[in-house]
Each structure stands twice: as structure tokens, then as C-alpha cells.
Amino acid sequence: MSERQRAEAAAGGQVFQAGRDVIVHHVPAGTSRVWNLPPRNPHFTGREETLTAIRGALTGGVVAVQSLHGLGGVGKSQTAIEYAHRHAADYRCVWWIPAERPELVPEHLARLEAALGGTDFRTALSARSDWLLIFDNAESPRDLHPLLPSGGHVLITTRNTGFGGLGAVVRLDVLPRADSVALLRARVSAMSEEEADDLAELLGDLPLGLAQAAAYLEESGLPLADYFTLIRTHERMMFVEGEVVGYPHTIGTVWSLSLRHLADRAPRSLAVLRGTAFLAPEAIPIDLVTGSAEPIESARLVAPLVRHGLVQRDGDRLSVHRLLQAHLRHEAGHDDLLAVLARLRDALVADGDGVAGWRVARQSVPHLVTLMDHRGDGDQRVEDALAAIGDALDRLMAESVMGRVSRALADGATALGQPSAEHGGRLDPVVFQQIKSVVLDGVTLGVLLLFVVAVRGHEGDPDRSPSVRLGTSLILGLVEVGVGLGGVEQARLEQMRAAFGRTGPRRAPSEETRAPR
């Protein structure tokens, strides 16, 4: 027990012990027991800016209602609890109201009224200002609006959007990496900073995931290297192993209610969300997962996902937390993956001149790598769909930019500049950059070529693939004239090569199932 905890216990705080955790539930001196705040989290880390923002919003405005919005597991409840404990001296009444099930909220408020002496809580609280009500995990602002008294402070946590009409809203995101590392090392003292950084990266800095991992390592005594192996080879284990003291959910259950709501009320939106599970977590093109180029229809499909805090939208792109994606992959099937693959292939061949297709190819690079990682168990339909994308990319690269630049280099075309004595027999450096710009960059080119090779099985027969043949010529040409890859680009290209080599071509698709050429 820390010195602060001993002091709080001596002052009348209640002491709880769960495993190795010692928690002191502090009731401020001089108050009646109008106080049901959950115990403070002894491992709470970071969130200083958020806590300051909450305090400023609650004390600086006429309407003292503050909402914390964010993905399940991001730490909204723990942040609200930390705020209340930090400012406990300012309140004589603090009441915690679980609001996930709106029909049970009146029961919790009835208990508050009993604690207040049987008086209607709105009447009793509106006559004073030294109170804080916390509605945890609220579903809808409509449910809460008629229940809010005036005079004191209200703090709401929610996964859903739409609470701006009640007061200020702060979006809570995953932890900054430095705080994730600090949290892990505080719980698992043998963990090095580099190991903590690697684990935080794997868990996407989600506080619930970090807490579960720390709890499991603490409980099991498993060496960290073995834990890394287990969660990479048995992904689902991270959803159920490790008990987080004081929190009812694990990664395996925290999103269940939102997903059930989508299944009941917006099944097409749930299908869109499942489609994101096989893609990179950032910069997911909305039309790729909705299958609709109509902005209104896409907005209707995406809106429920944004409302439940399951995705973030930035223009025509979505982002999804990687742990949610991992959870969804266990719920999704081959049909969800096939739908995404079909849309990607269609987007690559949608126009005749290749301009739009080339733009899609650039945007698809991180998603192609992820698709290869999650291509599944060799289902022939998936293999054929991947091969169709490989065919489309092969033709696109051979017939558009790569072929033009490769031939230009081979022929010494004047349009791209000629080697000169001024530059040591190499092309003008400005021209080098123009060439690199035309072919996007070395990493993009390399990934697209590797994808074509991996899904079509042309390693031993490059003549069967025009883009591989021309791409090889282009890379050699760029190296010859002095346009090589930088160190960072080279390292990333090696990473991509390893990823594709690890998955490899399973078996060559039949000619009948190939995309038409």
C-alpha cells in the first residue's frame, strides 16, 4: 500500500484487495454517505489534458454537462472515476449511475433519492451546487435530458455520438505511446521499454487491451517472449485472458452490445464493419467497404458505425481499431472477405484509361499487405479473387505508368532527360525525382509487384507477367541512373517482401476463374 493510500485509509477510506491490487475507496470527510463512486484505479495513467478539459468545461459554463465519447475499452469510465476522486473535496454528493440499460436508470436514481432522505433528486439537487452525477455508458441523449437537474455538475460517458446538445463533448482516443509504455512497465516491472513499446503497438494502445495483457502476464508469470508468440498464433486468446479488476468487460465482450444493436437494427452497416476487418486499420476507402459510390447511401451505411463509436470517419476514409478488427475477423466469414475483394478488383478496372485505377492502386497498398496476412486457409474462392486483383494490377501497371517509364529509360527518351557530363553521366537530379513521382515511389511499386507475384505464382516465369518484367527493368533502370531507394523505404520494402513470402501463392487459380484480360 502506498503512503497516500495509507493516509486515505487512516482518514476513513474503505480498503479493498483483489489479487495484488490494493484499492482505497475514499469518502470525503464531513459528508453524509451520498456517495457511491467506484474505487479509484491505482494504475490510472495519463489523460492529464482530458482531465483538465473536463474540469474547465464543468466549472466554466452555464450548462455544466460534460460528455466523454469514445470506443469501448478506451478508458472513459476510468477517466470519469479519476476525475471524481481528484476533485472529491469539491462535492458533498457524488452518484454513479450505470446507464447502459435506460430502463434501469430510474432504479439507480431511486436509490439516490433514498440516500437524499426520500426527496425527489431533481428538487434536492437543484437547491445546491456541490454535487456530481455520472451517467456511465449512456445510450441516448433523449433518455438523459429529462433527468438532468440544474445547479451542479453532470459527467456522461458514452460510446455513441449525438450528446453535443446536452453540453460539451470530449473525444477520448487511445493512449499516447509513452503512456502505454508507462502503464505496462508499472504493472510488469521486468518488461523493458522496447518490449513495452512492441506490446503497445500490437494492442493498438487500447487501455483495456493493455490492462488485460498486464493482468495476464502478472497472473501467469509467462515469459514475455512466449506471450508474444501466443497472441500472434492464438489471436483470440487476448480477448478472454486476463481479468481487469473493477471492470466488467474484456476485449471479447466490450463491443458485444454495440454489435448486437447493429445486427438487430442496421445489419447492412454491420456487414460494412465486418468488411473492414480484412483491411489496414487506417485510411479505408468508404466506397470499398460499402460497395456504393453514392454519397447518400454510403452515409446511411456508415452513420450507425460512427454513432456507436466503432469507426472514425475522416472525409471519404474510415479508421477502425486493430483489436476490434481482430474481434470481427472471428465473426466474419469468407463471404465478407470476398465482397471486399470483388469491390477492389472492380475499382481497379472501372475506367478505360487507367487513371482512376492507378489512383485506387496507390490507395490500396497497405490494404493489399493486410489482405495477404488474412487471406485465410486457402479457400479457392478467395485465392481466385486475389488472383483476379493480381491480373488487374498486372495489366494496369504494364499498360500505364510503369511501361511508359521503363521504355523511356530503355530508349533514353529525350522527354525524361539525357545523361550528361554535368551530372557525372547520370540523369539530372530533378529528372530523377520526376521519374520517381511518375512511378509513385519505390515502396508502392515494390508492394504492387510483390502482390502480383504472390497471388499469381510467377516467381519462376517472369515472362508470364508483363508488369513484373517491366517493373524489373524499371527498378534496374532507376538504380543504373542513380535513383535508388532510401534506407527507410528499403527497410519497408524488405518487410513487405517478407510478408508476401510468408503467405506465398497457395496454388495457381484455374484459367477459367481468372479475370478476363
Side-chain angles (χ1 to χ4, degrees):
M1 185 183 295
S2 69
E3 289 301 320
R4 186 189 70 186
Q5 288 175 320
R6 287 193 181 93
E8 289 180 339
Q14 297 170 285
V15 179
F16 299 84
Q17 183 162 0
R20 299 180 185 179
D21 292 330
V22 177
I23 301 169
V24 179
H25 182 182
H26 174 64
V27 179
T31 68
S32 59
R33 290 195 176 267
V34 186
W35 190 278
N36 73 339
L37 187 65
R40 194 173 197 169
N41 181 355
H43 304 296
F44 186 87
T45 303
R47 304 297 194 199
E48 294 300 327
E49 290 185 7
T50 299
L51 291 165
T52 299
I54 293 172
R55 187 62 176 168
L58 290 178
T59 59
V62 177
V63 181
V65 179
Q66 170 77 56
S67 297
L68 280 175
H69 163 63
L71 177 70
V74 83
K76 301 179 296 295
S77 300
Q78 292 300 319
T79 302
I81 291 169
E82 178 66 17
Y83 170 83
H85 279 285
R86 286 195 183 189
H87 299 282
D90 296 330
Y91 302 110
R92 291 177 58 83
C93 172
V94 175
W95 205 256
W96 181 271
I97 304 159
E100 187 170 4
R101 296 178 59 184
E103 69 274 14
L104 297 183
V105 169
E107 180 181 335
H108 294 290
L109 292 174
R111 293 174 184 166
L112 171 60
E113 290 180 346
L116 289 169
T119 308
D120 176 82
F121 76 94
R122 279 162 295 207
T123 302
L125 295 181
S126 294
R128 51 197 285 190
S129 60
D130 56 351
W131 55 266
L132 170 66
L133 299 186
I134 303 175
F135 291 89
D136 184 51
N137 210 13
E139 283 292 303
S140 167
R142 278 195 311 273
D143 299 328
L144 298 189
H145 183 262
L147 302 176
L148 302 183
S150 59
H153 295 166
V154 175
L155 185 55
I156 301 166
T157 74
T158 181
R159 304 177 193 184
N160 302 335
T161 57
F163 282 78
L166 300 183
V169 177
V170 170
R171 175 166 181 84
L172 206 59
D173 208 341
V174 297
L175 284 174
R177 179 57 51 82
D179 290 341
S180 298
V181 169
L183 188 156
L184 288 169
R185 297 191 71 198
R187 293 291 302 272
V188 186
S189 57
M191 191 181 297
S192 70
E193 187 163 344
E194 183 178 359
E195 289 170 332
D197 187 85
D198 289 343
L199 184 54
E201 174 68 24
L202 190 63
L203 299 174
D205 298 293
L206 187 72
L208 178 57
L210 299 170
Q212 268 189 252
Y216 182 76
L217 288 166
E218 194 176 31
E219 293 163 5
S220 66
L222 189 72
L224 189 61
D226 294 344
Y227 180 74
F228 272 110
T229 300
L230 279 175
I231 59 176
R232 286 191 172 112
T233 56
H234 298 78
E235 187 177 54
R236 201 161 193 171
M237 186 198 78
M238 74 173 70
F239 299 146
V240 295
E241 298 293 340
E243 181 180 355
V244 180
V245 175
Y247 192 70
H249 290 294
T250 65
I251 293 298
T253 62
V254 70
W255 299 302
S256 298
L257 180 62
S258 295
L259 296 178
R260 283 200 301 271
H261 281 181
L262 290 177
D264 293 340
R265 303 173 189 175
R268 292 180 63 206
S269 296
L270 179 58
V272 169
L273 183 63
R274 284 200 300 261
T276 68
F278 304 99
L279 302 171
E282 305 289 339
I284 300 172
I286 286 179
D287 54 2
L288 179 58
V289 288
T290 63
S292 174
E294 294 296 328
I296 294 178
E297 177 64 13
S298 291
R300 286 173 179 163
L301 292 171
V302 171
L305 308 181
V306 176
R307 185 164 58 248
H308 283 282
L310 296 168
V311 304
Q312 293 186 53
R313 178 170 185 168
D314 183 9
D316 61 352
R317 297 286 183 271
L318 300 178
S319 60
V320 187
H321 195 277
R322 65 187 61 193
L323 288 186
L324 176 55
Q325 287 183 304
H327 180 82
L328 290 167
R329 281 194 293 275
H330 294 288
E331 308 291 333
H334 282 141
D335 289 345
D336 297 293
L337 174 56
L338 287 168
V340 172
L341 294 174
R343 289 175 194 140
L344 178 54
R345 189 264 173 186
D346 290 345
L348 289 168
V349 301
D351 69 324
D353 60 10
V355 175
W358 195 242
R359 185 170 60 249
V360 172
R362 291 187 66 177
Q363 296 168 349
S364 68
V365 165
H367 305 299
L368 291 174
V369 176
T370 307
L371 283 167
M372 294 297 289
D373 279 339
H374 303 301
R375 67 197 290 188
D377 54 6
D379 181 279
Q380 189 59 37
R381 297 177 301 161
V382 174
E383 296 303 308
D384 290 343
L386 286 167
I389 293 173
D391 283 351
L393 284 170
D394 194 0
R395 182 177 57 197
L396 188 64
M397 289 189 286
E399 293 178 355
S400 59
V401 179
M402 270 185 19
R404 177 163 55 86
V405 177
S406 296
R407 288 188 292 272
L409 282 170
D411 297 339
T414 304
L416 290 176
Q418 293 286 356
S420 65
E422 179 184 353
H423 298 291
R426 297 179 176 183
L427 294 179
D428 185 298
V430 175
V431 178
F432 296 172
Q433 295 306 314
Q434 290 174 343
I435 294 172
K436 288 185 73 176
S437 176
V438 170
V439 298
L440 310 179
D441 58 57
V443 173
T444 299
L445 172 61
V447 172
L448 295 177
L449 290 172
L450 285 168
F451 182 86
V452 171
V453 168
V455 300
R456 300 188 66 198
H458 297 321
E459 293 92 336
D461 187 10
D463 287 339
R464 289 185 58 196
S465 176
S467 69
V468 173
R469 185 172 65 252
L470 289 171
T472 302
S473 171
L474 174 56
I475 291 174
L476 291 174
L478 290 174
V479 172
E480 179 67 24
V481 298
V483 186
L485 295 177
V488 174
E489 292 175 323
Q490 184 65 47
R492 186 175 174 191
L493 187 57
E494 289 299 327
Q495 178 187 5
M496 303 311 174
R497 182 179 289 110
F500 287 130
R502 189 168 60 246
T503 53
R506 297 258 163 51
R507 55 189 171 120
S510 60
E511 291 299 326
E512 290 78 6
T513 57
R514 287 279 181 84
R517 294 184 56 78

